[in-house]
Amino acid sequence: MKILKNKLFTTLVSVLFAVGLILGITFTCVDLRGKDVDAADKTLMAYIYEETGYATGEYTSSSGGFGTIKLNYVIYNGSANQSYTANITAAGFVTINSGYFSSISLSGSSLTSAFKLNTTKTQAPTASGGNLSTTVLYIYLDRTAQPKFDTYWDEHVTELYTYWSGSGTESDPYLISSAAELAGLSYMVSSGKGIKNGNKYYPNIYFEQTCDINVSKYLWRSIGKAIKEGDVTSYWWFSGFYNGNGYKISGLFTTIKDSKKLDYNGLFGYIYNGSVKNLGIENSIVAGNSALIGYVAGEKVKVENCFNSINISTLAAAGGIVGYIDCKNCKISNCFNSGKIYCMLTGGGIVGSTSSTTELTIDHCYNYGVIEVSSIGYISYAGGLIGDCRGTTIIKSSYNIGDMIEGSYTILGTIVGKNNGTLSLLHCYGNGVACAKNSGTISNSIYKATCKLTDAKSRTWYTMASNWETPWDFTNTWTIKSGVNDGYPILGAFDKFSITLNKNGGSGGTDKVEVYLGGSFPTNISIPSKTGYTFKGYYDRPDTATGGVQYYNAQGVSTGESVGQMSSLYAYWTVNSYTLKIYRPEGINDIIKPNSIWQSDSGGSYKTVSI
């Protein structure tokens, strides 16, 4: 982790964003395709700010089929502002290396030559960022595949699907298999039409995702919302259990449209007594508090086996996994964040901030995303895992290795920015001060102010018992794969693989099952057959006489065992036994055993023989 100084242009854009919020400017994403814009207009600057968020990542130029990427930048010369617009049309890739564009590189062409201020003069930042003290960049896209930024999914009701397969029970959950079905869930909550108990929607009802889902067709309305009218706040809480089943959500674009709406944005806006597990967020832009959940309340909420890889931008309480927590006995476990967290007041890699009554445990989580909190006159707090703790918080077997960018009036802590409650750190790692400002109590602290990059990418470091409160589970939960996630651990739930069903001489039936580490086996399979034998199930050993664990029973139903690191399961067969009836013809005596007893039925006298 490194502490970096804020760039001037980043701070300027941040100030404009905050001013927009304070003055009530609507930060609506708008479609700017093919339009030249006046970057000196503050409202329009806010629009462009959201467009810069959308441009984060890598896009091809016009020759790649995505249209031209336009750059509109302003030179601040101390007296007047001059705006210029130029098109980058060279072949290759335009790579935006930061969500706030501190550096831009163009493959296949000189970046400088792409900026033509007039026919005789060329002026532009260099590929490494240029003179950022005098140059501010505002970037927007001209893309034919750009989403419709002016409408939400719930404004297209006829395209939504709200009759999901399944019955909503734990054994037969509602299945979410498309963007229309996921948006249908959001609509049923926010419209008040879903199953509810008061203002809690889908309480104790189960949902399961069946595939990766891209929702970029329209703007996303978070699942669960709150609206303030005067002094009264009304909530529409999601209270169900959502299992991503090791799949991901992409194309998630959120923004602030209704000034009355309390925008704790993310895939989920407001969760009460619910849970989310086995879900990842990628390739999205969230103008809100978190990629996954904006606001958590109630009690016993669990968030487990989840990750975020996208950039988050908001005013306060920004977290990679959860924005704000006001919950008793809440637990976040086996989660990580790799996206950049940017806000004006409080931000953390896992959680933005918590209430004074919150009881939170963070277990086996890590952050390697950049965290930047840039204030406009108020003291701000940033933490590698939590920005601001106000209740009772336990963080154990977790670490932060992400860079932290220092702005004006910003206080940075490698694990926690500020603690106003009771904080316990149990075998946590970071590079620097664990908690930057402590106004509460820190107890049972076992913190190591060294977190090496080589350790964070080594399986051995995680599994050594002396390093942690409890070692990281690399059998059922975590794994490390070369070239994936920059070498940091990934959740086994997102590393799907096939297990072969070895039929041991049988034939027919299911050949293999698709699973993920620590997950569940498919509930039902087709069983094989073998002449003269009876199928007794699938086991983890070829010879069950030496022991073994059964994963499917004789009917092909999963026994409920979790997926481990295995490549095959083996059919177990028993030899069939048969009983023959041998009838004695009338008048023939039993000459072999004359005294033996014959049985009788309607067919005559008989004896039985087992073979």
Side-chain angles (χ1 to χ4, degrees):
M1 183 198 78
K2 296 177 289 187
I3 303 295
L4 307 174
K5 296 293 183 181
N6 230 333
K7 301 290 194 300
L8 174 62
F9 84 94
T10 303
T11 303
L12 177 60
V13 174
S14 307
V15 170
L16 291 173
F17 179 53
V19 169
L21 287 176
I22 294 170
L23 296 179
I25 295 173
T26 301
F27 281 65
T28 304
C29 288
V30 295
D31 189 348
L32 296 176
R33 287 177 289 177
K35 298 177 183 178
D36 292 339
V37 296
D38 179 7
D41 182 278
K42 288 184 173 60
T43 302
L44 196 50
M45 282 175 125
Y47 290 148
I48 296 171
Y49 174 85
E50 298 228 353
E51 292 294 310
T52 63
Y54 182 75
T56 300
E58 191 172 62
Y59 298 95
T60 58
S61 63
S62 56
S63 61
F66 284 86
T68 299
I69 291 182
K70 290 187 176 182
L71 295 151
N72 187 32
Y73 67 97
V74 181
I75 304 298
Y76 285 83
N77 58 18
S79 57
N81 298 337
Q82 298 173 328
S83 297
Y84 304 95
T85 300
N87 295 341
I88 296 180
T89 57
F93 286 93
V94 176
T95 303
I96 311 301
N97 296 320
S98 165
Y100 306 97
F101 311 107
S102 58
S103 59
I104 299 175
S105 62
L106 175 63
S107 173
S109 175
S110 168
L111 180 64
T112 301
S113 65
F115 289 80
K116 299 293 184 181
L117 303 190
N118 54 49
T119 56
T120 59
K121 180 181 178 183
T122 299
Q123 182 177 353
T126 65
S128 61
N131 186 356
L132 293 172
S133 63
T134 59
T135 303
V136 181
L137 289 180
Y138 302 96
I139 302 177
Y140 62 97
L141 285 178
D142 177 15
R143 290 210 323 159
T144 57
Q146 189 171 342
K148 295 180 179 179
F149 279 154
D150 56 346
T151 58
Y152 285 82
W153 270 97
D154 58 6
E155 296 176 69
H156 302 269
V157 178
T158 58
E159 298 184 37
L160 303 179
Y161 194 87
T162 57
Y163 297 95
W164 311 288
S165 299
S167 59
T169 64
E170 185 173 9
S171 60
D172 185 31
Y174 287 130
L175 301 181
I176 303 293
S177 306
S178 67
E181 290 180 343
L182 187 63
L185 174 58
S186 172
Y187 170 76
M188 293 299 282
V189 174
S190 63
S191 67
K193 297 181 179 180
I195 299 171
K196 63 182 178 179
N197 180 6
N199 61 356
K200 316 299 189 301
Y201 288 83
Y202 298 102
N204 299 314
I205 291 178
Y206 292 80
F207 294 83
E208 186 170 303
Q209 192 169 316
T210 65
C211 60
D212 291 334
I213 295 177
N214 184 294
V215 295
S216 64
K217 187 173 184 179
Y218 304 110
L219 278 170
W220 180 253
R221 188 90 73 186
S222 300
I223 301 172
K225 68 177 183 180
I227 293 180
K228 186 173 183 179
E229 299 278 4
D231 295 329
V232 178
T233 301
S234 300
Y235 294 92
W236 287 255
W237 300 98
F238 174 76
S239 295
F241 305 124
Y242 193 93
N243 182 3
N245 205 28
Y247 293 106
K248 294 165 284 189
I249 302 292
S250 62
L252 188 71
F253 299 100
T254 70
T255 184
I256 301 172
K257 186 173 182 180
D258 187 342
S259 61
K260 296 178 181 179
K261 188 169 180 284
L262 301 180
D263 283 278
Y264 283 92
N265 278 346
L267 175 65
F268 294 88
Y270 294 78
I271 287 184
Y272 191 101
N273 291 1
S275 71
V276 180
K277 66 179 181 180
N278 303 323
L279 187 61
I281 307 294
E282 64 179 13
N283 299 328
S284 305
I285 295 300
V286 172
N289 300 78
S290 177
L292 192 65
I293 308 171
Y295 191 117
V296 165
E299 59 181 335
K300 297 182 179 180
V301 174
K302 290 184 178 181
V303 183
E304 53 189 331
N305 293 4
C306 294
F307 78 86
N308 167 56
S309 64
I310 71 168
N311 295 349
I312 306 295
S313 303
T314 191
L315 179 62
I321 303 300
V322 179
Y324 184 78
I325 297 179
D326 181 15
C327 179
K328 300 282 189 180
N329 197 15
C330 177
K331 186 174 184 179
I332 300 175
S333 60
N334 298 317
C335 295
F336 72 88
N337 171 67
S338 61
K340 181 172 183 178
I341 307 298
Y342 177 81
C343 68
M344 303 296 293
L345 293 177
T346 55
I350 302 299
V351 175
S353 60
T354 68
S355 73
S356 59
T357 58
T358 289
E359 299 168 354
L360 171 65
T361 298
I362 292 179
D363 189 13
H364 291 93
C365 295
Y366 75 90
N367 170 70
Y368 77 93
V370 175
I371 299 174
E372 180 178 359
V373 177
S374 181
S375 178
I376 56 172
Y378 300 94
I379 296 177
S380 302
Y381 302 94
L385 299 182
I386 304 180
D388 187 4
C389 292
R390 295 175 179 267
T392 301
T393 305
I394 300 172
I395 306 175
K396 56 185 180 180
S397 300
S398 301
Y399 71 91
N400 169 53
I401 202 168
D403 291 338
M404 304 186 74
I405 299 178
E406 182 179 13
S408 301
Y409 306 102
T410 302
I411 297 177
L412 306 178
T414 188
I415 301 296
V416 173
K418 181 182 180 182
N419 173 50
N420 272 336
T422 300
L423 173 64
S424 296
L425 301 176
L426 305 177
H427 287 90
C428 294
Y429 291 78
N431 292 310
V433 178
C435 179
K437 182 175 178 59
N438 178 36
S439 300
T441 302
I442 298 180
S443 62
N444 303 319
S445 181
I446 305 175
Y447 170 71
K448 301 178 182 180
T450 302
C451 189
K452 298 179 181 178
L453 185 64
T454 52
D455 285 342
K457 297 184 179 184
S458 168
R459 183 189 298 257
T460 302
W461 184 61
Y462 294 96
T463 55
M464 290 184 63
S466 60
N467 289 341
W468 309 99
E469 181 73 8
T470 55
W472 292 50
D473 183 356
F474 272 75
T475 300
N476 299 305
T477 305
W478 296 94
T479 187
I480 290 178
K481 301 189 72 173
S482 177
V484 178
N485 198 35
D486 290 337
Y488 294 99
I490 61 173
L491 290 158
F494 300 90
D495 185 28
K496 291 183 170 59
F497 59 96
S498 297
I499 293 180
T500 299
L501 300 181
N502 187 318
K503 298 165 188 177
N504 263 343
S507 62
T510 303
D511 295 320
K512 61 182 180 180
V513 289
E514 296 293 325
V515 294
Y516 60 84
L517 193 64
S520 301
F521 282 85
T523 304
N524 296 284
I525 59 169
S526 298
I527 64 174
S529 61
K530 184 178 180 181
T531 302
Y533 292 82
T534 297
F535 176 71
K536 292 296 185 179
Y538 276 108
Y539 290 74
D540 60 350
R541 296 186 183 185
D543 181 7
T544 57
T546 61
V549 177
Q550 186 184 48
Y551 286 83
Y552 282 99
N553 64 20
Q555 290 73 44
V557 178
S558 170
T559 60
E561 294 287 340
S562 296
V563 176
Q565 293 183 334
M566 59 187 69
S567 59
S568 297
L569 294 177
Y570 303 88
Y572 173 48
W573 304 96
T574 57
V575 178
N576 291 342
S577 62
Y578 301 92
T579 300
L580 299 182
K581 281 185 177 182
I582 302 176
Y583 287 89
R584 180 178 62 178
E586 291 296 330
I588 302 298
N589 294 321
D590 187 349
I591 61 175
I592 299 176
K593 294 182 178 181
N595 297 322
S596 62
I597 299 175
W598 288 76
Q599 300 180 40
S600 298
D601 62 13
S602 59
S605 299
Y606 70 90
K607 289 185 178 181
T608 59
V609 179
S610 296
I611 60 172

